[in-house]
Amino acid sequence: MPCDSLFVDFLGVNHCISFDTVRVVLDSVFTIDLLNKSQEFYSNSFNWLLAIFGVFLTIIAIIFGFKLYHDLNSIDEKIADVAQKTTDEMNQRFEQQLEQQRTRSIELATLVKDMQEKIILNWITQARLAETQKQFYHEFMCYDFALKEVVDHFDKTFAQYGKIALEKLLEKVSALDGSTRKAKILEEIISKIKAFEQRLMNMPFDKNSDKAKDEEFYVLSILSLCSTVRSSFSGMI
């Protein structure tokens, strides 16, 4: 058959197959195979890309995690530094304030002590002035007031003023003769002397051993005087 065809003997029967039909069949077979291969290629490529992308994400996650960890540590360190600096500044400020308060307390204590000493010296000065004017009763009472200030605001440096007051009270006790209040005044003085003795026995001595010995000897002499005056006044009541 003079046509663009292909004769095929199939079971003794000649068939004429058109080239177009063969082309269609071949194209169909080629197309399916190509699609399968393409699908397999794209599938493998996609899986490969997924694997690469997964590795990339893992690397990014590691880098991001490391950076986040580093940033958090940096923040913690900065917070710790700020907290430490704040604590150090607060401690330094507190120590400065404490030192200022300590200095002010010392200054105030010194001022108070000076004022108390001036009061004691004022009574002693008035007593000496009264003596020059022959006002012996007034003189005696001024030494009594001086002794009271020494006892009420005792300081180791005031012990000498107490000694002066005791010596003068013993010397001028005759100024009370004829006074209806003599017994009462002497009883009150004896009470002050006992308190003075207690202050002296509790008085701290200097840390230097030589100075401490001198202070101890001086205190013992005053205690002996206290005992003498107390006994003498007790006998007068």
Side-chain angles (χ1 to χ4, degrees):
M1 180 177 296
C3 62
D4 293 332
S5 60
L6 176 65
F7 289 94
V8 178
D9 186 2
F10 184 71
L11 297 177
V13 180
N14 293 328
H15 295 278
C16 180
I17 302 175
S18 171
F19 283 109
D20 292 334
T21 302
V22 173
R23 187 178 298 111
V24 170
V25 173
L26 290 175
D27 288 343
S28 298
V29 173
F30 179 76
T31 299
I32 294 171
D33 184 60
L34 181 61
L35 288 175
N36 289 334
K37 289 183 179 180
S38 297
Q39 184 178 5
E40 182 179 358
F41 171 77
Y42 285 119
S43 178
N44 292 336
S45 298
F46 183 73
N47 290 335
W48 182 77
L49 287 175
L50 282 179
I52 295 297
F53 186 69
V55 172
F56 176 74
L57 288 179
T58 301
I59 294 173
I60 293 298
I62 292 173
I63 294 174
F64 180 77
F66 178 77
K67 187 177 184 305
L68 179 62
Y69 175 78
H70 181 268
D71 291 342
L72 289 176
N73 280 344
S74 298
I75 293 174
D76 290 340
E77 290 176 358
K78 290 179 180 179
I79 292 175
D81 291 340
V82 171
Q84 183 63 39
K85 289 180 180 178
T86 302
T87 302
D88 292 341
E89 290 176 357
M90 290 180 64
N91 289 337
Q92 185 176 3
R93 189 178 305 170
F94 176 76
E95 289 177 357
Q96 290 176 350
Q97 292 177 349
L98 187 62
E99 183 61 28
Q100 290 176 354
Q101 291 179 354
R102 186 182 297 111
T103 302
R104 290 174 183 172
S105 298
I106 294 173
E107 292 175 351
L108 181 60
T110 302
L111 179 62
V112 170
K113 178 185 173 183
D114 290 342
M115 292 178 62
Q116 291 168 346
E117 186 173 18
K118 287 179 180 178
I119 292 173
I120 296 170
L121 290 173
N122 178 61
W123 285 118
I124 294 175
T125 301
Q126 287 193 43
R128 289 174 177 173
L129 180 61
E131 182 181 17
T132 61
Q133 297 174 352
K134 300 185 182 302
Q135 296 177 359
F136 303 120
Y137 180 84
H138 181 68
E139 176 191 4
F140 184 89
M141 296 307 298
C142 285
Y143 283 120
D144 181 25
F145 293 148
L147 179 62
K148 182 179 184 303
E149 290 296 325
V150 170
V151 173
D152 291 345
H153 308 287
F154 183 79
D155 183 88
K156 65 189 301 182
T157 60
F158 296 167
Q160 57 180 329
Y161 303 131
K163 183 175 183 291
I164 293 171
L166 286 173
E167 290 172 343
K168 286 297 183 178
L169 287 171
L170 182 60
E171 179 184 341
K172 302 294 183 175
V173 68
S174 60
L176 296 179
D177 292 344
S179 174
T180 57
R181 299 183 65 250
K182 179 177 180 179
K184 181 65 175 179
I185 293 173
L186 292 178
E187 287 177 355
E188 291 176 351
I189 293 176
I190 290 172
S191 178
K192 294 184 187 77
I193 294 174
K194 289 180 179 179
F196 186 41
E197 289 174 322
Q198 192 64 38
R199 302 287 192 279
L200 291 170
M201 288 187 289
N202 294 330
M203 189 184 83
F205 296 129
D206 197 280
K207 294 180 179 179
N208 183 283
S209 59
D210 293 334
K211 290 182 179 180
K213 289 180 180 179
D214 293 338
E215 290 179 349
E216 184 177 4
F217 179 79
Y218 186 66
V219 167
L220 289 175
S221 67
I222 299 176
L223 287 172
S224 177
L225 176 62
C226 288
S227 178
T228 299
V229 176
R230 182 162 42 80
S231 299
S232 178
F233 286 1
S234 295
M236 295 180 186
I237 298 175

